[in-house]
Amino acid sequence: MRYRCAAVILSLAIPATLASQSLESLTLRFAGFTTVSGYEQAVTDSLLTLLPGATRDRLGDISITLGSGSPKRLVSCPLDEAGYVVGGVTSEGYLTLRREGRIASPLFEQQLEGHRVTVFGASGPVPGVVGVRSVHLTRGRVPNEAPFTVDDAYVDIGASSAADAAALGVRLLSPVALARRPHRYGDAMAAPAAGRHAACAALAAALLSHPKISGSMVVSFTVQGLQGGDPGLNAVIALKGPFADTLTATLPVKYRDTMAETVMMADIQALEQRLVQWMGGAK
């Protein structure tokens, strides 16, 4: 069974109601989520509470059924992102990591080196930083050095022993992700996994606009989309299908799978409008 983290929402917590939020506000709040693939439960807990009529299946997908009759259609958005879990704890209190979820960019692991991360332990979020080699001790000694990978990562969380790490609530398989700092500039927003989270924000905004539904519509926020076989989406199809038509909410992005993955607000607004139209039966 996968480890269930106690909290995976940073300071950009979901407000008391999603319905009162503008699309821009929803986008920034969704961008503040941390949803390491397979460890999305805290975020889905919040969505279950904050989206009226939502239910959760045994895998963790959040779904809402609107309307009735035929045709029966599905619109979905994957919540998860590629990230890491704690693979080990050294006797000195450093954490080693293992990756979770498929990635598209070769820069994904290299950007981890020297950066701030958050470890989601049993007692709550724990800040940390990934160490770098000393340039003074290694300069000129490693010709043709291979690029940094997750196997080179050692995370410092301020612990001096394995017992100290355990006292902070850090365990094997605790989720780990780059520290969240969503950045809004001009007509763009940058954040890790910005494209996936902004697409889910657009779907939430479309849902909360109370669109007129043609037939019946299942709206799903799915989990484990970056695992082999996309088990979250397949679970929704198996449990709530068959469907006459399906649509996945996606957005064009720049700098995919980097800390600066960027989406344009105009594209998010256009996606929300397309989703509302599609829910009403427009092609």
Side-chain angles (χ1 to χ4, degrees):
M1 177 179 291
R2 293 185 178 275
Y3 185 89
R4 293 189 173 185
C5 55
V8 292
I9 303 178
L10 302 186
S11 58
L12 293 173
I14 302 179
T17 174
L18 291 179
S20 63
Q21 301 299 297
S22 67
L23 177 60
E24 181 173 347
S25 178
L26 272 176
T27 299
L28 287 170
R29 294 187 181 280
F30 271 64
F33 289 171
T34 298
T35 52
V36 175
S37 188
Y39 300 85
E40 308 94 336
Q41 182 181 338
V43 168
T44 59
D45 284 346
S46 295
L47 292 177
L48 186 65
T49 300
L50 296 165
L51 293 173
T55 60
R56 178 164 52 196
D57 62 34
R58 294 181 63 182
L59 195 63
D61 306 294
I62 300 298
S63 298
I64 301 171
T65 301
L66 306 173
S68 61
S70 297
K72 186 177 185 181
R73 296 177 297 147
L74 168 68
V75 57
S76 65
C77 178
L79 285 168
D80 63 325
E81 63 185 272
Y84 305 92
V85 295
V86 173
V89 183
T90 71
S91 59
E92 296 88 1
Y94 295 106
L95 311 181
T96 60
L97 303 178
R98 294 292 179 266
R99 195 177 73 229
E100 278 288 335
R102 300 188 307 273
I103 59 172
S105 170
L107 298 177
F108 186 81
E109 291 184 355
Q110 294 175 39
Q111 71 187 336
L112 189 64
E113 185 177 16
H115 282 282
R116 293 168 51 201
V117 296
T118 303
V119 183
F120 297 97
S123 302
V126 179
V129 64
V130 179
V132 297
R133 294 181 179 181
S134 168
V135 296
H136 302 290
L137 298 177
T138 61
R139 182 184 299 169
R141 297 185 183 181
V142 189
N144 302 317
E145 181 179 346
F148 179 92
T149 73
V150 67
D151 294 329
D152 301 313
Y154 286 86
V155 181
D156 185 350
I157 57 172
S160 57
S161 67
D164 286 348
L168 291 171
V170 175
R171 307 284 190 269
L172 293 180
L173 301 184
S174 292
V176 182
L178 289 165
R180 282 296 189 272
R181 297 184 295 273
H183 183 62
R184 182 82 160 81
Y185 61 101
D187 190 38
M189 184 197 70
R196 297 170 78 82
H197 290 167
C200 287
L203 179 56
L207 173 65
L208 293 168
S209 71
H210 304 292
K212 183 177 180 180
I213 303 300
S214 173
S216 58
M217 175 72 56
V218 176
V219 180
S220 290
F221 298 85
T222 60
V223 300
Q224 299 186 35
L226 294 174
Q227 303 292 333
D230 201 346
L233 178 60
N234 286 333
V236 172
I237 293 172
L239 292 170
K240 297 186 177 294
F243 297 103
D245 200 1
T246 64
L247 177 68
T248 300
T250 60
L251 283 166
V253 304
K254 298 180 180 179
Y255 320 120
R256 185 180 299 278
D257 284 341
T258 70
M259 298 176 68
E261 181 169 306
T262 298
V263 292
M264 305 302 293
M265 291 303 301
D267 290 335
I268 302 170
Q269 294 166 357
L271 175 60
E272 179 197 7
Q273 293 169 5
R274 289 198 304 272
L275 291 171
V276 170
Q277 292 172 357
W278 193 84
M279 288 178 181
K283 294 294 186 180

